């Protein structure tokens, strides 16, 4: 995240351009301390705050600075500062505080991830006149916002077995296709940066910076509007067909280690970095129970079908299945144990694939009567195949990110924000 040295541009030129951009004028030091760049409800963003954040972004990304790029970076920095003030305002409303010790631990982890100590980061920042508090403030806001989102929405979101099954089925259906280890930057086309045209211009500039050696993770952390920004844009392994069509098509044409051209989507522009690719293999293992009903003749078969259909609606767990089956005349349940997908016929595999965990299939006509299958567990085995817990966590993160975006949008709409 932190560039260890500042190359590619003159520090004096950067400061001169920045001083002009935020209207410091001749008496820069006085205005740097006391000038007001914006107000957010009852909070203030000073010209000093803005200048510090822009310089920090330049340092973190190793960006070459021009007058045009500086204006764009200033708008992005202002947007981030406004969002952080709104987030900290919510934290205050809920009487939530992030201790100094927690902040220092997070800064220490960031330093470690860059093979640096906190002291080395502080020294690097000081060379550009940036206080370590600029990083601390950003880390504090991120931690507070994440805690608010988890507290407000974490207990409300429920990921069902059927959602996990659907995701796993989609993954395994594409298992013979490549999967990709990707990172992303999403630049939202907000009015502050000139809408979609500004987002496209910013994306092109970031691609140039990345190709010139600026760390993609640093660019993502400082400039991406995606929920993955806090992780340096890391999306993890993504299977073919999991992302929106525009992005999926681009990834398929990329070489390992490359960075995409800008990908325009409604609301903004994506940049994708392809870190690795692979083809996995998998095997689905089902733990099932079988319910058989002995029946002869049309009337008995119809009665057996009706009994199994009623059981399908009422029985939602493999526990107690034997007792529930005893209410159906001529019925018995048998534990089939674990069955691999390769061991069953295509017809039975289609039935198992379409049946959720802890659910009973539709009645199946069989020799001597009717039958149904209950799926007690389903697991996918193989290299590169996520576990059910991993899929659940990914779905939870996606829903939390959506809730966080809506929540911040609503707070922003109701806030009083004035730029000077």
């Amino acid at each position: 995240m932190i560039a260890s040295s500042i190359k590619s541009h003159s520090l004096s030129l950067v400061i001169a351009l920045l001083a002009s951009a935020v209207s410091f004028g001749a008496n820069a030091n006085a205005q740097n301390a006391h000038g007001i760049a914006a107000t957010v409800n009852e909070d203030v963003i000073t010209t000093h705050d803005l200048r510090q954040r822009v310089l920090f972004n330049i340092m973190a990304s190793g960006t070459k600075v021009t007058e045009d790029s500086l204006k764009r970076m200033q708008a992005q920095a202002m947007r981030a500062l406004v969002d952080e003030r709104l987030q900290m305002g919510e934290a205050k409303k809920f009487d939530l505080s992030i201790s100094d010790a927690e902040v220092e631990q997070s800064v220490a982890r960031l330093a470690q991830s860059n093979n640096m100590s906190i002291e080395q980061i502080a020294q690097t920042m000081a060379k550009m006149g940036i206080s370590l508090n600029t990083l601390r403030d950003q880390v504090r806001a991120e931690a507070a916002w994440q805690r608010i989102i988890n507290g407000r929405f974490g207990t409300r979101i429920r990921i069902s077995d059927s959602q996990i099954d659907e995701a796993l089925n989609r993954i395994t259906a594409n298992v013979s296709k490549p999967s990709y280890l990707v990172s992303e930057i999403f630049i939202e086309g907000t009015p502050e940066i000139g809408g979609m045209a500004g987002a496209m211009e910013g994306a092109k500039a970031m691609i140039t910076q990345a190709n010139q050696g600026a760390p993609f993770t640093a660019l993502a952390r400082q400039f991406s509007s995606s929920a993955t920004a806090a992780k340096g844009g890391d999306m993890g392994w993504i299977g073919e067909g999991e992302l929106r069509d525009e992005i999926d098509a681009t990834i398929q044409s990329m070489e390992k280690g490359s960075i995409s051209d800008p990908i325009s989507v409604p609301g903004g522009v994506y940049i994708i970095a392809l870190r690795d690719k692979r083809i996995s293999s998998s095997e689905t293992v089902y733990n099932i129970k079988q319910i058989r009903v002995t029946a002869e003749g049309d009337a008995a078969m119809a009665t057996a079908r009706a009994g199994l259909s009623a059981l399908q609606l009422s029985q939602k767990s493999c526990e107690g299945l034997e007792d529930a089956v005893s209410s159906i005349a001529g019925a018995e349940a048998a534990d089939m144990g674990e069955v691999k997908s390769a061991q069953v016929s295509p017809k039975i595999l289609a039935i198992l694939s379409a049946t959720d965990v802890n659910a009973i299939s539709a009645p199946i006509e069989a020799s001597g009567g009717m039958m149904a299958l209950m799926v007690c567990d389903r697991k996918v085995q193989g290299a590169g195949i996520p576990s059910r817990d991993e899929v659940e966590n990914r779905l939870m993160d996606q829903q939390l990110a959506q809730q966080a975006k809506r929540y911040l949008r609503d707070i922003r709409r109701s806030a009083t924000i004035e730029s000077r």
Side-chain angles (χ1 to χ4, degrees), residues 192-241:
E192 293 92 336
I193 66 168
M196 287 295 292
M200 181 60 71
E201 182 183 351
K204 290 177 179 178
M206 283 185 208
I207 291 168
T208 299
Q209 293 154 20
N211 287 332
Q212 291 174 345
F216 194 93
T217 53
L219 293 170
R221 184 173 179 85
Q222 295 307 126
F223 302 113
S224 179
S225 298
S226 171
T228 60
K231 300 186 294 182
D234 183 15
M235 298 180 72
W237 284 98
I238 301 296
E240 188 173 300

Side-chain angles (χ1 to χ4, degrees), residues 14-16 18 81 116 132 143 164 175 193 199 213 217 233 237 274 338 369 409:
V14 170
I15 294 177
L18 187 56
L81 287 169
M116 299 174 73
L132 189 59
I164 298 172
V175 74
I193 66 168
T217 53
W237 284 98
L274 177 58
E338 288 192 343
R409 178 199 61 199

